[in-house]
Amino acid sequence: MKLFSKTEVRDRLKGLLPQLADRSELEFSILRKLLSILEGKQNIIAYAPDPRYEVDILPVIESSALPRPTSFLEIRHSARWFFPKIDKNKSLQFLRPFEFQKNEWGLFEPIGDENILPEDADLILIPALGYNEKGFRLGRGGGYYDRVLNSEKVQKKCIGFSFSKFFPVPFGEEGHDRKVGKIITENGIHSFFD
């Protein structure tokens, strides 16, 4: 398989993902697979998706202060949910929100005073543009998650999401890139540490 630069892949995915047909049905299928993994998990790091590029996980989150998506799942998972916020040092912290506000990029960030370290979370749901065949994440290029997911113990509890049409993405990982424990597509669950 020919590998492309991360810049080429990012640009291509940013053009293709917003045009994906039947997106709601595909996301519904992905979330149904996620529900079984959530069982018994109480402290979960999630994300507020950019609906143009990322799988919308909000339908499974019970009592979220975020605007609710139009899609609906009969089952929502009750847990202590934490969301990422970029702090003044350009690092990620994960807060349990009592409300959200938009950041400078137009993405929702939590306002809250309770935080959790990735090491203490039961699961970490990771946003991405795509993943390669080894489970390495392609984000937007800021390296925020790469700096946080710096141990295999943390990476094993990370769940990424992708549409099968865009998985795997043909890019070569670099030394600072991190992989996830599992990737869920509408067609199945792919494990990388099992």
Side-chain angles (χ1 to χ4, degrees), residues 48-73:
D50 180 332
R52 298 171 297 172
Y53 308 128
E54 299 160 350
V55 171
D56 184 357
I57 61 169
L58 295 181
V60 299
I61 298 173
E62 187 170 274
S63 67
S64 171
L66 283 165
R68 299 306 304 171
T70 56
S71 47
F72 176 77
L73 284 178

Side-chain angles (χ1 to χ4, degrees), residues 166-193:
F166 303 117
F167 176 74
V169 177
F171 72 91
E173 68 275 0
E174 298 171 4
H176 62 272
D177 291 328
R178 302 293 180 243
K179 71 178 179 177
V180 296
K182 297 181 187 318
I183 294 171
I184 302 174
T185 71
E186 71 276 11
N187 292 333
I189 300 173
H190 307 267
S191 297
F192 298 98
F193 285 103

Side-chain angles (χ1 to χ4, degrees), residues 98-110:
F98 49 79
E99 66 179 297
F100 286 83
Q101 68 182 15
K102 285 194 174 186
N103 66 16
E104 61 191 85
W105 299 285
L107 301 175
F108 285 103
E109 285 189 328

Side-chain angles (χ1 to χ4, degrees), residues 20-154:
L20 184 63
D22 301 321
R23 187 176 181 129
S24 295
E25 292 82 12
L26 299 173
E27 286 179 337
F28 181 81
S29 181
I30 290 169
L31 296 180
R32 297 288 296 175
K33 291 171 180 54
L34 172 62
L35 284 171
S36 65
I37 295 172
L38 294 177
E39 279 187 43
K41 307 296 191 278
Q42 289 303 308
N43 293 306
I44 302 171
I45 294 174
Y47 62 91
D50 180 332
R52 298 171 297 172
Y53 308 128
E54 299 160 350
V55 171
D56 184 357
I57 61 169
L58 295 181
V60 299
I61 298 173
E62 187 170 274
S63 67
S64 171
L66 283 165
R68 299 306 304 171
T70 56
S71 47
F72 176 77
L73 284 178
E74 291 180 15
I75 303 168
R76 297 190 192 280
H77 186 70
S78 179
R80 293 166 35 90
W81 295 93
F82 297 82
F83 291 82
K85 179 178 179 78
I86 300 171
D87 67 19
K88 62 183 178 223
N89 299 320
K90 300 291 183 194
S91 298
L92 283 183
Q93 57 179 301
F94 300 97
L95 302 176
R96 188 161 184 224
F98 49 79
E99 66 179 297
F100 286 83
Q101 68 182 15
K102 285 194 174 186
N103 66 16
E104 61 191 85
W105 299 285
L107 301 175
F108 285 103
E109 285 189 328
I111 297 173
D113 53 13
E114 181 182 354
N115 67 353
I116 192 170
L117 296 172
E119 296 81 9
D120 298 329
D122 296 320
L123 274 181
I124 305 170
L125 309 182
I126 301 289
L129 292 172
Y131 297 89
N132 73 10
E133 77 264 349
K134 298 178 197 171
F136 283 89
R137 176 181 175 273
L138 179 69
R140 296 195 193 191
Y144 297 104
Y145 278 94
D146 292 332
R147 289 189 292 276
V148 170
L149 309 177
N150 55 12
S151 75
E152 188 174 298
K153 178 183 175 190
V154 171

